[in-house]
Amino acid sequence: MAIAAPSISSAGASTQPGGGAALAAEQLSIFYSDKEAVKKVDLSFAPSSVTALIGPSGCGKSTFLRSLNRMNDTIASASMKGSIWLDGEDINAPGTDVVTLRQRIGMVWQKPNPFYKSIYENIAFGPRYHGIKNKKELNEIVESCLRRTALWEETKDRLHQSALALSGGQQQRLCIARALSVQPEILLMDEPASALDPVSTAKIEELISELKQEFCIVIVTHNMHQAARVSDKTAFFYMGNLIEHNDTNIIFTNPENKQTDDYISGRFG
Amino acid sequence: MRLSNKQVDRIATGVFYFFAFLIIVILGGLIGYILYRGIGHISFDFLTSPPQTFKVGGGIGPQLFNSLFLLVLTMLITVPIGIGAGIYMAEYSRPGKFTDFIRLVVEVLSSFPSIVVGLFGLLVFVNYFDLKFSLLAGALALTVFNLPLMVRITEQGIRGVPREQKEAGLALGLTRWKTITKVMLPVALPTILTGTILAAGRVFGEAAALLFTAGMSSPRLDFTDWNPFSPVSPLNPLRPAETLAVHIWKINSEGIAPDAAQIAAGASTVLIITVLLFNLGSRWLGRYMYRKLTASK
């Protein structure tokens, strides 16, 4: 199970060993046509940490998240200014290999979106595409990814059945397992538990706490309790601006900004 | 007297039921009548023997074969081009004047009267490219007629794939091409396949576009000669070929065999049953594939 983490630029810069990479946005603005959805945001993410992005709907947090693995490229009207640094390289630089970039930065969506394939294929698909053809090696990747997401016991007897037959919570864990299969360094999660029941949500949160050891995780959430439970740092967005960014316990107990205080205590948003 | 909302609602419901019923009656009557007139004439012999010009007892064997072979030829040309163009329209084209123009062209092309497509085929394929009356000229004319449909079917199929599927592929570090072929196309396949079979049914029943392209005659065919370059081989794409639909038109208008009317009725029945099979088959296949892909019962 060895997919090298190559540099995203042809120049080649060293990646930090273990704990995921460091990611930082600098003066980042994102536009949909003329509308500025994210306004000059400076925000950095440390390896082996969970950062929660919170804020009311339409505040730009999801747009910001999707810019980190250039998923906004697929939206024709989206454009951006500023920089996003991954281990000292600008991911939007002209020579950037966006395919390698996305392999290094995994993503999980709000709605579970397993491929219309078997459980096994959902995991094996990415590694196989990236050059692992050996059947035994693929089997090992599938098993280890499913074990890490606590799905192995539930699915080991039906690996070759369609992933769409799983429950919503299982599908979401499968999607996380799929993201892990190509050995990313950073995981982006866009409200990963908002479509799930409380039991499944608890399992996802537990998983995030475990994965934190190895990855830099950025999670968008509408659930204040979830942000408080799983994250080390919290960033509060409002109307495209980053209002406050600090340790989660400070944000939730003693925020500097009044808007942050109002939001987390439920007085607006 | 004013009607209450409830009464208006009841009347409207009745009217809609009436129209729905009317359509079913028209369709049922049409199919029933054709089956009633023709079904008695269908036999193994009728389906396999060649037609007779003056005598009783002619069959539709070569015509049936021609229709199927022409269908295969047309699909071989249409499906790759149609799917390619459909993928372009759904995934690569950027909104703008050029894309709007392509869409307009596709729509105009699909609303062309088939007789005009036939005349175009006569001028361009038969005369200008000197293909003569041939299966190939017929297949190309049918391509003009069928391509817009295939493009639209593919485009709709691809656009129907949930956005998150595409993003999931890209986020794993797949290229756009691999995301389309390995993630999106399999999801869109049931839609594309169903649409293709429906389009095939339309091609199978087409007559007007073929009158001046595939021709109204069949050479003497030797069904034991499968060399596609031999002039008497059924597989030779450069031979003229009268299809079933064209045959029906011909014997109805100028047939002089004593049993011409029965043959026309029998051939119509075969044609309509085949097209019905295409329709039912596409529904069945679409449902089967959807179930297989989503593992729902």
Side-chain angles (χ1 to χ4, degrees), chain A residues 110 112 167-170 172-173 192-201 204:
Chain A
Q110 176 177 10
S167 73
Q170 289 173 324
Q172 192 63 306
R173 278 183 285 150
S194 68
L196 306 177
D197 64 83
V199 175
S200 303
T201 301
I204 300 280

Side-chain angles (χ1 to χ4, degrees), chain B residues 16-31:
Chain B
F16 291 133
Y17 264 98
F18 172 75
F19 284 132
F21 186 69
L22 192 70
I23 288 173
I24 294 171
V25 168
I26 292 174
L27 180 71
L30 206 65
I31 293 177

Side-chain angles (χ1 to χ4, degrees), chain B residues 9-279:
Chain B
D9 186 59
R10 212 170 284 155
I11 291 168
T13 309
V15 169
F16 291 133
Y17 264 98
F18 172 75
F19 284 132
F21 186 69
L22 192 70
I23 288 173
I24 294 171
V25 168
I26 292 174
L27 180 71
L30 206 65
I31 293 177
Y33 183 65
I34 292 170
L35 289 182
Y36 162 77
R37 281 199 26 171
I39 202 109
H41 201 72
I42 297 174
S43 63
F44 181 73
D45 197 43
F46 178 69
L47 292 178
T48 52
S49 59
Q52 298 287 346
T53 315
F54 306 111
K55 286 186 295 183
V56 175
I60 55 164
Q63 282 73 23
L64 195 55
F65 177 84
N66 288 342
S67 284
L68 290 169
F69 187 43
L70 188 64
L71 178 66
V72 172
L73 274 183
T74 307
M75 284 305 171
L76 280 180
I77 304 171
T78 332
V79 168
I81 303 178
I83 289 185
I87 289 176
Y88 170 81
M89 293 299 283
E91 279 301 308
Y92 287 88
S93 68
R94 296 199 161 251
K97 284 217 169 80
F98 183 63
T99 306
D100 289 347
F101 179 69
I102 298 177
R103 191 160 283 122
L104 181 75
V105 169
V106 168
E107 257 153 41
V108 168
L109 215 52
S110 72
S111 57
F112 255 37
S114 55
I115 189 79
V116 176
V117 173
L119 283 171
F120 170 81
L122 174 69
L123 291 173
V124 175
F125 305 130
V126 176
N127 292 341
Y128 186 76
F129 286 108
D130 202 24
L131 292 174
K132 312 260 172 21
F133 284 149
S134 65
L135 277 163
L136 189 58
L140 288 171
L142 287 181
T143 298
V144 172
F145 173 79
N146 199 31
L147 200 53
L149 198 63
M150 277 309 302
V151 175
R152 210 178 320 164
I153 288 163
T154 310
E155 187 185 347
Q156 278 170 1
I158 297 276
R159 280 193 195 280
V161 176
R163 196 186 157 70
E164 292 85 7
Q165 288 289 321
K166 174 180 163 184
E167 292 191 347
L170 293 174
L172 274 183
L174 267 64
T175 55
R176 179 141 79 147
W177 168 243
K178 285 287 174 187
T179 303
I180 292 171
T181 53
K182 299 280 184 187
V183 176
M184 300 174 74
L185 261 186
V187 180
L189 199 63
T191 316
I192 295 176
L193 213 62
T194 309
T196 306
I197 298 177
L198 284 176
R202 223 167 72 121
V203 165
F204 194 81
E206 179 53 37
L210 294 173
L211 293 175
F212 319 120
T213 51
M216 288 179 270
S217 62
S218 248
R220 187 154 296 283
L221 295 180
D222 179 0
F223 277 91
T224 56
D225 182 357
W226 296 103
N227 173 8
F229 299 104
S230 157
V232 292
S233 166
L235 289 185
N236 185 344
L238 293 176
R239 68 178 173 86
E242 183 192 37
T243 64
L244 197 56
V246 171
H247 187 61
I248 293 169
W249 176 80
K250 200 173 84 176
I251 48 179
N252 243 334
S253 54
E254 54 193 43
I256 44 177
D259 57 350
Q262 285 96 308
I263 290 173
S268 303
T269 308
V270 172
L271 189 67
I272 212 157
I273 288 176
T274 315
V275 174
L276 273 179
L277 285 179
F278 276 120
N279 276 271

Side-chain angles (χ1 to χ4, degrees), chain A residues 27 40 43 49 67 104 116 134 175 191 193 198 202 222 265:
Chain A
Q27 291 290 297
K40 292 193 176 154
L43 187 55
S49 73
S67 71
R104 290 178 64 185
Y116 288 31
N134 184 312
C175 291
E191 299 183 48
H222 274 288
S265 55

Side-chain angles (χ1 to χ4, degrees), chain A residues 24-212:
Chain A
E26 184 185 337
Q27 291 290 297
L28 184 71
S29 298
I30 304 170
F31 304 84
Y32 291 121
S33 298
D34 296 333
K35 190 182 165 290
E36 193 171 9
V38 172
K39 297 168 188 167
K40 292 193 176 154
V41 168
D42 286 302
L43 187 55
S44 61
F45 308 99
S48 298
S49 73
V50 178
T51 304
L53 308 182
I54 61 170
S57 298
C59 70
K61 57 193 191 305
S62 282
T63 300
F64 176 79
L65 186 83
R66 290 167 53 88
S67 71
L68 298 177
N69 66 344
R70 289 187 53 179
M71 203 43 75
N72 286 334
D73 289 9
T74 61
I75 298 166
S77 65
S79 62
M80 58 157 283
K81 270 189 207 152
S83 319
I84 300 168
W85 302 98
L86 175 65
D87 286 341
E89 295 175 67
D90 186 350
I91 68 166
N92 291 295
T96 300
D97 177 4
V98 68
V99 166
T100 310
L101 168 75
R102 289 186 182 138
Q103 187 196 319
R104 290 178 64 185
I105 306 182
M107 191 165 197
V108 177
W109 288 257
Q110 176 177 10
K111 210 175 126 211
N113 59 345
F115 292 136
Y116 288 31
K117 301 175 190 293
S118 68
I119 295 166
Y120 182 93
E121 269 309 306
N122 263 276
I123 314 281
F125 185 66
R128 189 189 291 123
Y129 171 76
H130 289 292
I132 296 176
K133 306 282 180 205
N134 184 312
K135 188 107 202 309
K136 204 170 142 244
E137 219 174 322
L138 282 175
N139 289 344
E140 281 165 14
I141 292 175
V142 171
E143 181 171 345
S144 86
C145 288
L146 289 175
R147 279 195 191 283
R148 284 161 94 186
T149 50
L151 262 178
W152 177 251
E153 292 304 321
E154 296 161 51
T155 58
K156 64 180 177 188
D157 298 324
R158 48 172 176 153
L159 288 177
H160 295 284
Q161 288 179 15
S162 169
L164 297 159
L166 295 171
S167 73
Q170 289 173 324
Q171 286 188 13
Q172 192 63 306
R173 278 183 285 150
L174 182 67
C175 291
I176 297 174
R178 177 180 65 189
L180 299 181
S181 71
V182 292
Q183 295 204 305
E185 297 153 57
I186 294 162
L187 272 182
L188 308 178
M189 299 181 152
D190 193 354
E191 299 183 48
S194 68
L196 306 177
D197 64 83
V199 175
S200 303
T201 301
K203 282 186 182 164
I204 300 280
E205 287 181 10
E206 204 178 306
L207 191 54
I208 291 170
S209 304
E210 272 169 39
L211 293 174
K212 183 174 90 172

